[in-house]
Amino acid sequence: MNAGAPVRTTCPYCGVGCGIRATPIGDRALKIEGDAGHPANRGGLCSKGTHLGETVDLAGRLLHPMIAGKRANWGKALDLVARRFSETIAKHGSDSVAFYVSGQLLTEDYYVANKLMKGFIGSGNIDTNSRLCMSSAVSGHIRAFGEDVVPASYDDLSEADLFVLIGSNTAWCHPIVYQRMQAAREKRGAKLIVIDPRRTETCEDADLHLPIRPGSDVALMNGLLAHCLRAGLVDEAYLEANLSVPQGFWDMIDQGSDLWSVAKTCDVAPDKLLHFYELFAAHPRTVTMFSQGINQALRGTDQVNAIINVHLATGRIGKPGAAPFSITGQPNAMGGREVGGLASTLAAHMDFAPGNVALVGRFWSAPRMATKPGLKAVDMFRAVEEGRIKAIWVMATNPAVSMPDASRVRDALAACPFVVVSDAMADTDTGRFAHVRLPAAAWAEKDGTVTNSERRISRQRGVLPLPGETKPDWWIIKEVAARMGWAGAFAYDRPADIYREHARLSAYQNDGVRLFNLRSHAAIGNPAYEAMEPYRWGKTPFAGGRFSTPDGKARLVTTVQAALPEPLKDWPLTLNTGRYRDQWHTMTRTGLSPKLARHREEPLVEINPYDAERLGLAEGDIARVATPQGESLFRVMPSDGQRRGEIFTPIHWTDRQSSGGRTGLLPRPLTDPHSGQPGFKSTPAKIEKVAVEWRAFLILRGEAPASLPPALWATRITVPGGMLYELAGSGDDKALDAWLPAGARMEAADPARGTRRIAVVDGERLAAVLFLTRTGELPGRDWLIAQLDAPQVAPTLLAGRAPGATPDRGPVICVCFDIGLKTIVAAIAEQQLADVGAIGKALGAGTNCGSCRPALARILADSGAVSEKIHAAE
Ligand code: SF4
């Protein structure tokens, strides 16, 4: 560990895989900078990466093994895990146990877990949370190319003349890739088309936005291919030499492919659709980038193949600036795919064909090889529920929140005879069901490799020492394997030992049939591994027109648009789910950052203003969103970016942070038939207003208690020096007072207006404030939050503002420079700012990580309307 010297490592959030220089600056603190030498980001970082340093202290960490809620030592915990798994296997067979792992694991962790389950336990029952985000892309690649190879790289973004983003809010979810595309647009005039039912910030600056009906993507892409055929763009020579075309394929493409029919199916204007076709036709160098909007669908694999069909048939693949590009959500989803961490793959891009099982068995000297795929995530937890799986080990993920129909997953875990959870955090929704909890290393302490969306393998290096008794995941798994009787096969001393073996397996008896081949790293020495620079395997996949199928030809796949469901009488809306810009997964890490929390402080349900008015919902109301699976509360946000009849909720909130916002309770556990990926994007739903009699906020100094205040609506965010709770409820509000700490109290109450304001002072400093109203307005929170750090209590505390007027800056838009909406709107009006660059010059907003630049563009476009809205609220 190099105290004080920058360590080159990789961002742990999204699949862009940005390089970071992390410098320890004292006890458990890091200075974070983008790594200018990393090809993925060339020094840039988005808001999440920029604020990683706020998430590395020990708050909330699991630091010791726990058995039945009590601290235990490693020997006891590991012995118990090994014994219970061995006993279960002996009594009920190999398929009675399972591992549920994560795209947060490093490749070395993943490799050891996969080897233990598939080569030694002898079951395919290891699946990963990547099943939930990109397994349809995996299935689509295998169907088309014969191997799960992403045929694009970020270099293609510098070469393309047209970007088609489909089902991808890239500006929020993959900001650095979005910025690279924007740079190409500025430099070379490349065009941007966004296809998304929602008008997201990614659409703000696009040349064309097609807000298609959810689930109509196959019709859209088949229509595009039919247009290409009619326009003579299908590359007949390439098709003849390199593609295998199923019988009836072109008839299928021709059916219902006229402009009017496609426009009707997709519910877009025919002239806009034609514009899309013409832009596509005019720009052979096209990168079509897709992510969750395509993958998380009940026909996700067909949607992927409909995109790939167009690229294959027009020869837009294997050339600079032309490729379909599945961009992954998690930092190491791709590494997991490479080792075979999905239940449907075996190892090193091999499937369960008997020859592959024999090959891998030989390589591992495995005593008991799995011979068939295991259970995919949804089926795995169903097997737990039905008692077929009797012992499960969950690593680095939170299925009690993130799985569809999450309450059923909770019931399954509660009933499972033996649950092991290895995690960095002490209190997760899933960890509450664990019989054994094992303390795992977190990002800043982990050492190994990750693979990003463009197949680039980068080192993740430990920057901080392992705290408490935490251990790397690979070490925990190998210790359990040793106790189950396989010490020799798992005798790894360091991540480099595992990486070498992984590289050797990729090359083992690989005569070129598998593109994934790390032969050049098969004998990498420890110093070389330590110093390894980021490198991309497979230079330009499929450049020569040869694919990983037995005959070397890619396959066009018959994809038929499924009938689109009409709104149901009892469930008239369609629920879509997704991410926020500044949060990651279930907020166990980003939730620790006060700056990231300010972008979106509560879980919102976004609804078209027409629907909101029709249903009696106003901005800021609390509403119940219900589906056939479950229900949860959300704060209402009307948004004209939503199509009528559709609502959107974020995936991040858990029981830890909110009494509502539990999106995971809402989707159906229905999956794509090929990939097993759940269809998170289109659940029948309804919404209704929930009447509340009072609204309040509570600011507490210090760390958050484990529970939430007693209120119908209670959400929590981290703020500098403490916690901010937003609250709402009905009836008596006195129970909230129990949440105030001991200390001298100042109180002001107006019973006529139902207002209470309480401040608690501990010595000279503010310990808490509770502001509540039944009829009036609550003051802004910023000044009161700042008082947590003030050396003395301000005399105007109960007024909620500093002596004299302090302008409320509104919700934070630029988290890097802490600049709010009202400040930006005022500057636009007063200084006549005309573009995003001018806002940057005036305020600094958007000049650091750049994540807020699409939001600034939107504020500029809407500035008149925004000003009016703010004044109306005042
Ligand atoms: S785009 Fe942002 S979240 Fe994704 S890897 Fe880069 S810095 Fe991290």
Side-chain angles (χ1 to χ4, degrees):
M1 204 75 50
N2 258 337
V7 175
R8 293 180 70 201
T9 183
T10 311
C11 177
Y13 292 124
C14 81
V16 178
C18 296
I20 279 178
R21 286 164 60 89
T23 310
I25 48 170
D27 191 26
R28 302 296 308 182
L30 294 176
K31 178 177 158 209
I32 300 289
E33 301 162 289
D35 181 355
H38 197 292
N41 56 319
R42 303 168 185 158
L45 290 177
C46 79
S47 48
K48 290 189 287 288
T50 300
H51 294 99
L52 260 169
E54 293 179 23
T55 68
V56 298
D57 72 12
L58 296 184
R61 286 291 300 271
L62 178 64
L63 296 173
H64 311 282
M66 308 286 282
I67 298 175
K70 294 204 176 76
R71 185 170 166 178
N73 64 40
W74 269 111
K76 259 192 163 172
L78 293 166
D79 285 347
L80 179 60
V81 174
R83 180 169 60 76
R84 289 296 300 266
F85 268 75
S86 296
E87 285 172 1
T88 306
I89 293 163
K91 202 163 165 196
H92 303 285
S94 299
D95 290 336
S96 65
V97 301
F99 295 166
Y100 186 63
V101 302
S102 163
Q104 303 288 313
L105 292 179
L106 304 187
T107 298
E108 289 76 2
D109 305 322
Y110 247 129
Y111 179 88
V112 181
N114 192 53
K115 178 178 174 181
L116 174 57
M117 181 55 76
K118 290 186 182 145
F120 291 74
I121 289 175
S123 170
N125 283 348
I126 171 170
D127 208 37
T128 158
N129 61 6
S130 301
R131 176 72 60 196
L132 311 185
C133 56
M134 51 83 232
S135 54
S136 292
V138 174
S139 300
H141 289 156
I142 293 172
R143 286 207 301 183
F145 309 141
E147 184 177 353
D148 175 26
V149 175
V150 175
S153 77
Y154 301 155
D155 292 344
D156 290 314
L157 305 180
S158 309
E159 304 274 348
D161 297 319
L162 174 66
F163 303 112
V164 179
L165 299 182
I166 179 162
S168 178
N169 185 5
T170 318
W172 275 21
C173 302
H174 302 98
I176 294 297
V177 158
Y178 178 76
Q179 288 172 23
R180 288 186 71 155
M181 287 190 292
Q182 290 296 70
R185 294 179 71 204
E186 278 163 28
K187 195 167 161 200
R188 302 177 41 254
K191 301 269 186 256
L192 173 65
I193 299 171
V194 182
I195 298 164
D196 194 320
R198 303 174 66 220
R199 198 184 77 224
T200 64
E201 282 187 7
T202 304
C203 308
E204 285 313 314
D205 191 31
D207 296 287
L208 176 66
H209 170 217
L210 282 184
I212 64 169
R213 191 175 168 192
S216 62
D217 307 72
V218 168
L220 181 78
M221 298 315 283
N222 285 357
L224 173 62
L225 184 48
H227 177 84
C228 292
L229 185 65
R230 287 193 285 267
L233 294 173
V234 168
D235 188 334
E236 297 290 347
Y238 187 83
L239 196 111
E240 180 64 29
N242 303 312
L243 304 185
S244 147
V245 186
Q247 216 175 7
F249 178 83
W250 293 111
D251 290 342
M252 179 273 295
I253 290 295
D254 194 42
Q255 231 166 32
S257 67
D258 63 281
L259 189 70
W260 301 101
S261 300
V262 176
K264 189 165 177 240
T265 304
C266 298
D267 192 21
V268 291
D271 61 328
K272 280 191 160 191
L273 184 62
L274 185 61
H275 188 32
F276 166 50
Y277 289 173
E278 287 173 344
L279 278 173
F280 191 91
H283 297 96
R285 289 179 182 230
T286 299
V287 170
T288 302
M289 191 172 280
F290 58 96
S291 54
Q292 266 54 321
I294 287 293
N295 297 335
Q296 289 180 331
L298 298 180
R299 294 284 178 277
T301 305
D302 277 357
Q303 296 185 165
V304 170
N305 283 111
I307 293 168
I308 294 174
N309 282 344
V310 177
H311 274 267
L312 286 171
T314 56
R316 298 179 191 207
I317 194 166
K319 296 173 185 162
F325 196 167
S326 148
I327 184 153
T328 51
Q330 298 198 79
N332 199 32
M334 293 284 280
R337 285 151 71 163
E338 287 161 6
V339 304
L342 289 157
S344 40
T345 57
L346 176 60
H349 279 201
M350 283 176 267
D351 63 13
F352 285 85
N356 291 337
V357 172
L359 182 154
V360 176
R362 270 196 307 282
F363 181 84
W364 281 341
S365 301
R368 195 161 42 187
M369 280 297 294
T371 55
K372 62 180 191 320
L375 295 171
K376 300 176 183 125
V378 169
D379 293 337
M380 179 181 281
F381 284 99
R382 199 162 285 150
V384 175
E385 180 187 28
E386 292 168 2
R388 287 180 281 129
I389 287 176
K390 299 170 192 306
I392 186 165
W393 184 351
V394 179
M395 303 180 197
T397 185
N398 203 356
V401 178
S402 54
M403 286 290 293
D405 201 6
S407 54
R408 204 162 151 189
V409 169
R410 286 168 188 239
D411 292 345
L413 288 170
C416 186
F418 192 58
V419 178
V420 181
V421 172
S422 38
D423 205 295
M425 305 309 290
D427 186 18
T428 68
D429 293 48
T430 302
R432 293 189 170 189
F433 298 99
H435 300 94
V436 179
R437 283 187 290 145
L438 303 173
W443 166 72
E445 303 131 22
K446 292 183 76 144
D447 196 38
T449 56
V450 290
T451 306
N452 72 1
S453 293
E454 58 159 354
R455 310 180 315 281
R456 191 177 296 280
I457 298 177
S458 298
R459 287 279 281 112
Q460 186 170 309
R461 295 181 172 92
V463 190
L464 297 173
L466 286 164
E469 295 180 65
T470 58
K471 294 285 186 186
D473 288 281
W474 64 266
W475 182 91
I476 301 171
I477 304 160
K478 77 133 187 169
E479 287 295 318
V480 169
R483 283 163 169 81
M484 291 176 78
W486 301 304
F490 290 84
Y492 308 115
D493 291 328
R494 56 186 67 79
D497 296 341
I498 305 164
Y499 182 78
R500 270 190 293 276
E501 185 178 307
H502 167 54
R504 279 207 323 277
L505 174 57
S506 74
Y508 185 61
Q509 296 180 1
N510 185 354
D511 54 4
V513 66
R514 302 187 305 275
L515 227 53
F516 176 62
N517 188 336
L518 306 180
R519 179 169 283 124
S520 63
H521 283 187
I524 192 168
N526 295 340
Y529 177 81
E530 286 309 317
M532 188 198 293
E533 287 292 319
Y535 87 104
R536 195 171 65 221
W537 60 264
K539 197 163 176 274
T540 308
F542 316 134
R546 182 166 178 85
F547 295 84
S548 305
T549 52
D551 63 2
K553 290 186 170 187
R555 303 174 194 113
L556 296 182
V557 177
T558 302
T559 54
V560 180
Q561 174 64 52
L564 293 169
E566 293 299 324
L568 302 171
K569 186 168 156 284
D570 293 339
W571 312 100
L573 303 174
T574 300
L575 171 69
N576 185 358
T577 69
R579 291 189 188 150
Y580 282 166
R581 187 189 78 191
D582 289 350
Q583 292 298 346
W584 179 255
H585 279 194
T586 58
M587 298 167 72
T588 50
R589 191 164 41 209
T590 46
L592 302 172
S593 164
K595 285 200 169 155
L596 294 180
R598 301 313 297 272
H599 174 240
R600 288 277 167 98
E601 297 181 347
E602 294 180 283
L604 307 172
V605 54
E606 292 172 47
I607 182 168
N608 184 277
Y610 168 84
D611 288 331
E613 192 175 341
R614 188 170 57 85
L615 296 165
L617 296 166
E619 182 157 12
D621 281 349
I622 305 296
R624 179 178 291 105
V625 175
T627 70
Q629 257 50 53
E631 61 180 47
S632 194
L633 302 182
F634 295 84
R635 180 85 73 185
V636 173
M637 185 171 100
S639 162
D640 56 11
Q642 285 295 125
R643 284 167 50 101
R644 287 185 189 181
E646 293 165 23
I647 54 177
F648 176 87
T649 61
I651 62 171
H652 309 291
W653 269 263
T654 74
D655 280 355
R656 307 283 78 75
Q657 299 105 1
S658 177
S659 59
R662 292 289 318 288
T663 290
L665 300 176
L666 305 175
R668 298 164 295 182
L670 303 179
T671 59
D672 174 86
H674 302 284
S675 67
Q677 179 154 356
F680 285 110
K681 297 292 186 186
S682 53
T683 305
K686 62 183 177 186
I687 186 169
E688 62 180 3
K689 179 175 173 172
V690 176
V692 294
E693 293 171 0
W694 51 261
R695 292 171 297 113
F697 66 82
L698 171 69
I699 297 170
L700 287 182
R701 200 170 76 209
E703 282 188 24
S707 56
L708 291 164
L712 178 76
W713 176 256
T715 63
R716 183 190 86 194
I717 62 165
T718 305
V719 296
M723 294 286 154
L724 166 65
Y725 297 86
E726 295 291 339
L727 308 162
S730 291
D732 192 5
D733 54 63
K734 284 286 190 302
L736 294 175
D737 295 17
W739 269 65
L740 293 168
R745 284 197 184 196
M746 294 184 275
E747 290 196 49
D750 179 350
R753 295 170 60 199
T755 301
R756 295 204 296 134
R757 296 183 171 192
I758 304 172
V760 181
V761 177
D762 176 11
E764 291 290 295
R765 297 183 58 202
L766 180 66
V769 291
L770 171 65
F771 278 43
L772 181 144
T773 183
R774 286 177 180 265
T775 57
E777 292 296 309
L778 292 165
R781 291 35 162 182
D782 287 353
W783 180 78
L784 284 164
I785 291 167
Q787 300 316 296
L788 291 175
D789 273 344
Q792 279 187 330
V793 173
T796 56
L797 206 53
L798 291 183
R801 60 174 188 271
T806 308
D808 173 12
R809 67 202 169 131
V812 174
I813 302 296
C814 172
V815 293
C816 295
F817 295 111
D818 210 18
I819 301 170
L821 174 66
K822 292 184 184 181
T823 310
I824 294 165
V825 171
I828 290 170
E830 286 160 15
Q831 300 177 46
Q832 300 289 301
L833 304 177
D835 56 41
V836 171
I839 298 176
K841 276 198 188 116
L843 301 172
T847 59
N848 186 37
C849 78
S851 300
C852 65
R853 289 173 69 86
L856 297 177
R858 183 164 202 172
I859 293 167
L860 267 169
D862 293 354
S863 53
V866 170
S867 301
E868 279 166 27
K869 202 159 116 192
I870 289 168
H871 293 314
E874 285 169 346

